[in-house]
Amino acid sequence: MPFIELLLMLLGIYKFIVIVAVILSWLIAFNVINTSHPFVQGVYRFCQSLTEPVLKHIRQVAKPINGFDLSPVILIIGIWFVQRCIIWYVVPAVASYP
């Protein structure tokens, strides 16, 4: 069970990183934060390096609609779906294993 809990926690952290990356991209697009600040650059690069490989594949399938990129929403829904499947199917199967 600890491995399942670790997996669920990592999925939750990844979902949080996706949300942070989206918010940062909005703040940068509207010039709310200074992109020349080293801390902002570091956080943005970190979030982009973790989320962009997955979002790139989603963008190939789900194209932006009127300039609105739905790939982060699709990714968050996918993470939620995987978390629910683990909780509903994997946990009971592991718990009932003799």
Side-chain angles (χ1 to χ4, degrees):
M1 293 294 277
F3 295 114
I4 295 172
E5 291 177 15
L6 176 65
L7 179 61
L8 289 171
M9 184 179 65
L10 290 174
L11 285 170
I13 291 170
Y14 191 71
K15 187 172 20 174
F16 176 73
I17 291 171
V18 170
I19 293 169
V20 169
V22 168
I23 292 172
L24 272 176
S25 70
W26 289 345
L27 293 175
I28 290 171
F30 292 116
N31 291 323
V32 175
I33 57 175
N34 186 3
T35 56
S36 63
H37 193 277
F39 178 74
V40 173
Q41 285 180 354
V43 171
Y44 186 67
R45 275 194 236 131
F46 173 74
C47 291
Q48 288 296 101
S49 67
L50 289 178
T51 59
E52 198 55 36
V54 178
L55 292 175
K56 179 178 63 172
H57 292 296
I58 295 173
R59 282 188 199 110
Q60 291 174 351
V61 176
K63 303 291 182 193
I65 300 172
N66 292 332
F68 186 70
D69 186 15
L70 294 176
S71 59
V73 176
I74 295 169
L75 179 58
I76 290 172
I77 291 171
I79 292 170
W80 175 83
F81 182 76
V82 169
Q83 286 175 323
R84 295 297 133 213
C85 287
I86 290 171
I87 291 170
W88 290 344
Y89 300 113
V90 176
V91 170
V94 171
S96 66
Y97 187 74

